[in-house]
Amino acid sequence: MFIHPRYEPLKFSPEISRALAQKLPVVALESTVITHGLPRPQNLNLAQDMESTVRENGALPATVAVMEGFVRVGINQSEMEKLAHAPDPVKVSLRDFAASLSQKTTGGTTVAGTMFAAHRAGIRVFATGGIGGVHREARFDVSTDLKALASIPTLVVCAGAKRILDLPATLEYLETMGVPVVGYQTNKFPEFYVTGRQLPVSVQLDDPLKIVEFAHYHWNVLGMNSAILVCQQVDPSHALDASLADDAEAQASKEIREKGIRGQAVTPYELGRVAELTNGKSMRSNIELLKNNASLAAKIAVAMQAALRQKAI
Ligand code: PSU
Ligand code: MN
């Protein structure tokens, strides 16, 4: 075994490296959605669309992934294709980095994994689809995403979490851990591809500048170390009917039980099966909300950099 004495696990693309040096707005993007969340070819198309959406809104996209022994922060077109077509990619959450780096496997980073990398890279803003949470049936299946939200100070833009999870328990956990749940133009916690109507967020903020100001208070003025979870609802024209989602999720959940699927395999199975059972409707809605989140994250990153440049925060 030989580890280079100056081995640094993070490897930046030239563009992201320059952007960070010049303090340009950057948005981190996760890659479990590419490796495990969507089928081919939608996964590659979506990854490219999310990157374009970030650019159209004035920021630079840094897709995070693990490849060839490095945590890549920003990947180029051919690397993106390699990731989307990887035959047996791993799902990299916090405990999986060491295995993936030392064994040089190709992996998609989860919300927790991407938060870790983004924070280490000095990127504050991150966009994803939905976060993991507390599962309903397996009492100890609590996503590492929640642990990461409790302890890694990044701003995560999402559409809440799926209804198949125990959403009240997920929100209780976030409250216990001091994680603000910000509703962007909503006072209800979004339920991924369904418009959330049940559970309250901790604060509603309606424009990116207000969110930047909030982040400044949370991290800089008060010195908090938790993440800020910014949630927006799926666009109503792409939302899934709640009963359709519930039926499909109940069926997927039954199969998960019967087949004895556990741990990291639960979420990918559930997403894939619900997509089949809804004839692709859930997947289209998933894709739309991901792009929408990339757009909001870029606007927040732009507002944050402008405030920093003006020394307003
Ligand atoms: N929830 C979704 N879509 C996803 C995921 C969660 O609606 O793609 C992915 C994210 O990458 C998230 C991970 O971080 O699954 C959570 O997996 P687990 O529950 O095994 O921690
Ligand atoms: Mn889990």
Side-chain angles (χ1 to χ4, degrees), residues 35-36 40 66 82-92 100 103-108:
T35 54
H36 294 76
R40 297 173 201 155
V66 182
K82 225 165 121 183
L83 185 68
H85 299 141
D88 204 8
V90 292
K91 177 172 159 183
V92 185
S100 188
Q103 294 165 20
K104 303 197 170 27
T105 51
T106 296

Side-chain angles (χ1 to χ4, degrees), residues 255-269:
E255 292 172 15
I256 287 165
R257 250 189 336 270
E258 285 167 1
K259 295 186 178 190
I261 296 168
R262 280 189 229 303
Q264 287 188 314
V266 170
T267 302
Y269 182 90

